[in-house]
Amino acid sequence: MKNFIPIVNHSLKYNPSIDGLRGIAISLVLIFHIWPEYFSFGYVGVDIFFVLSGYLITQIIYTKLESNSFSLKEFYRNRIRRIFPALIVVLVTTLLIGYLFMFPSELEQLGKHIKSSAFFYENFRLIGEVGYWDESATLKPLLHFWSLAIEEQFYIFWPLVLILLYKIRLNIVLTLFVLFLILFTIPLILEIDKFYHTLSRAWELALGGLIFIISYKYKNIFEVLNKYKYLVYIAFFISIAISYNNTAFSTFKTFIVVFFSALLILSLSHDKSRTIFSNSVLVFIGLISFPLYLWHYVLISYTHIFGFEIDIIIGLSLIFLSILLSYLTYRYIEIYARAKSSYIFAFGLFIIVLIIGILGNYISKKDGLPNRNHIQINSN
């Protein structure tokens, strides 16, 4: 399998079960977006991703703080190498398809979303524009970038929080627990969008961070959880199932999924044995999960825009094409980019994304480029 899909060099000790959990999360999101009427619970895959992201990013930061080797410059360089290559390919492809086939009013809207996706504030653009479960949501190829925007916003302030807590030497477990409670309370008391707003979701990532610190500071907790790990597995899958038939965001059901996802990650954190999550198929899907997340909804949305009804054949074709494009992106773009340690290379990626965002803004300001000859011909 390593020859087919090489595993990149990680700054963390590799745990295949974590990639397997990623595989489950992206699979849930994929089948939900293709067949929402049958897999209405699948949207919780994003919540699992949030907890995983908080866990892994805290692991990267805190272990390097402990070894006195953490660098903010290096951290953001690595984030750019990790995220921007696949992001560039997907955004450029989305824009090119829109340029070729969309009418001016559609391309004008797409230009706005290209800009907000490239600049990582798509979640704020979507507030008041379209609900996640609205039928018209499928006509927005970059709707799914809302969660990526939240993660990138979180990555800006979270290292600073951890650095501060580390330097002032407060009890980090207690402090992060209090911070988690504060972040969890904010969307309950403030009049903000409960689904898209960063402050409505930051608690999920913060809980992932807290779980890593607990696993790092209290390694013996794994031994306790390991005795009951199958109960944890069952509770995790039940927490997913209770979101069946949801058509609106539920803080209670989200908390259940997030809590048991965190508990599952805690139980897997020091587990060196083979688990149901280290299955090779799940690990493969987990390894390509980031480009798969980016690609799948673009393909699904354009399928709707072009007027095709997603039946079983088209749905399976979308799954195949999404996985194929994601594998190629991972194998020939991500692995290459993540092997580059040059800051100049990372800066080049940053400039390309900046240009894409500016281009999206230009297209929206120019009313969707109404003078494209091929569109004029098609519309007559």
Side-chain angles (χ1 to χ4, degrees):
M1 181 174 173
K2 287 185 179 180
N3 292 330
F4 175 66
I5 182 163
I7 297 173
V8 297
N9 292 325
H10 289 265
S11 54
L12 309 173
K13 189 173 181 181
Y14 183 65
N15 184 340
S17 292
I18 295 298
D19 266 329
L21 184 55
R22 272 198 185 116
I24 289 176
I26 186 57
S27 297
L28 287 169
V29 174
L30 178 60
I31 60 176
F32 167 69
H33 283 149
I34 293 178
W35 297 298
E37 64 274 24
Y38 301 112
F39 300 100
S40 54
F41 52 84
Y43 72 94
V44 302
V46 172
D47 300 295
I48 299 170
F49 271 126
F50 281 155
V51 184
L52 275 169
S53 295
Y55 174 88
L56 293 170
I57 213 68
T58 304
Q59 185 178 8
I60 290 170
I61 297 168
Y62 196 78
T63 52
K64 289 198 171 186
L65 285 172
E66 287 278 87
S67 63
N68 199 31
S69 61
F70 180 74
S71 162
L72 268 177
K73 184 172 73 169
E74 180 186 273
F75 173 79
Y76 291 121
R77 179 204 64 184
N78 291 345
R79 290 299 87 206
I80 289 173
R81 291 187 310 169
R82 172 72 176 93
I83 292 164
F84 281 32
L87 180 80
I88 290 167
V89 173
V90 173
L91 285 180
V92 169
T93 304
T94 304
L95 186 55
L96 180 60
I97 295 173
Y99 177 84
L100 291 174
F101 299 106
M102 280 183 163
F103 293 118
S105 60
E106 297 171 318
L107 186 59
E108 179 184 358
Q109 287 300 311
L110 180 64
K112 293 178 181 178
H113 288 274
I114 289 285
K115 175 187 174 184
S116 52
S117 296
F119 295 161
F120 300 110
Y121 69 94
E122 176 70 355
N123 60 317
F124 289 110
R125 179 173 295 283
L126 289 168
I127 294 176
E129 186 173 301
V130 65
Y132 189 69
W133 281 271
D134 291 352
E135 191 173 335
S136 60
T138 58
L139 303 180
K140 293 182 180 293
L142 299 176
L143 175 93
H144 59 313
F145 274 60
W146 71 271
S147 62
L148 180 62
I150 288 175
E151 289 195 13
E152 295 312 298
Q153 293 159 25
F154 182 82
Y155 293 159
I156 291 173
F157 79 83
W158 194 244
L160 305 177
V161 170
L162 292 179
I163 290 170
L164 176 63
L165 295 180
Y166 187 79
K167 287 189 173 181
I168 61 180
R169 297 293 177 178
L170 291 175
N171 183 311
I172 192 162
V173 174
L174 180 60
T175 308
L176 284 187
F177 179 71
V178 171
L179 179 59
F180 159 73
L181 289 179
I182 293 171
L183 291 172
F184 182 76
T185 305
I186 285 174
L188 300 178
I189 61 176
L190 293 184
E191 291 295 325
I192 57 177
D193 187 279
K194 299 297 186 285
F195 190 90
Y196 289 126
H197 203 289
T198 306
L199 289 177
S200 296
R201 298 298 193 135
W203 64 270
E204 300 181 45
L205 291 122
L207 182 59
L210 175 61
I211 287 302
F212 168 72
I213 297 297
I214 290 173
S215 72
Y216 185 81
K217 295 289 187 180
Y218 306 106
K219 292 183 173 62
N220 59 326
I221 199 171
F222 166 74
E223 298 174 7
V224 177
L225 283 173
N226 196 45
K227 294 179 182 178
Y228 306 100
K229 66 179 181 180
Y230 293 110
L231 288 177
V232 174
Y233 297 172
I234 292 169
F236 169 71
F237 287 113
I238 290 175
S239 73
I240 293 172
I242 65 172
S243 292
Y244 184 75
N245 267 346
N246 251 33
T247 56
F249 181 73
S250 166
T251 301
F252 173 72
K253 290 183 178 180
T254 300
F255 176 80
I256 297 297
V257 170
V258 168
F259 175 80
F260 283 108
S261 297
L263 202 60
L264 174 61
I265 294 167
L266 192 57
S267 75
L268 295 173
S269 58
H270 298 293
D271 197 342
K272 298 178 182 178
S273 64
R274 285 192 59 81
T275 70
I276 60 173
F277 300 95
S278 59
N279 172 278
S280 59
V281 175
L282 286 178
V283 171
F284 166 71
I285 298 298
L287 286 170
I288 65 169
S289 60
F290 179 61
L292 184 53
Y293 186 79
L294 296 184
W295 276 118
H296 84 282
Y297 198 80
V298 172
L299 299 176
I300 293 168
S301 182
Y302 274 126
T303 300
H304 285 287
I305 289 169
F306 293 149
F308 293 100
E309 184 177 340
I310 299 181
D311 55 18
I312 186 67
I313 300 299
I314 291 180
L316 291 174
S317 300
L318 285 169
I319 291 174
F320 173 78
L321 184 57
S322 297
I323 291 175
L324 176 62
L325 288 173
S326 302
Y327 168 72
L328 294 174
T329 304
Y330 175 86
R331 180 68 178 81
Y332 298 106
I333 296 175
E334 273 197 33
I335 288 179
Y336 171 81
R338 291 170 73 175
K340 295 286 186 181
S341 59
S342 166
Y343 284 94
I344 294 176
F345 177 76
F347 183 70
L349 293 174
F350 177 83
I351 294 299
I352 292 171
V353 171
L354 183 65
I355 291 171
I356 292 172
I358 292 172
L359 181 59
N361 183 63
Y362 173 81
I363 290 171
S364 68
K365 295 295 184 185
K366 293 296 181 179
D367 302 320
L369 306 180
N371 296 321
R372 289 168 291 147
N373 291 331
H374 62 286
I375 292 297
Q376 289 181 329
I377 292 171
N378 290 339
S379 61
N380 289 333

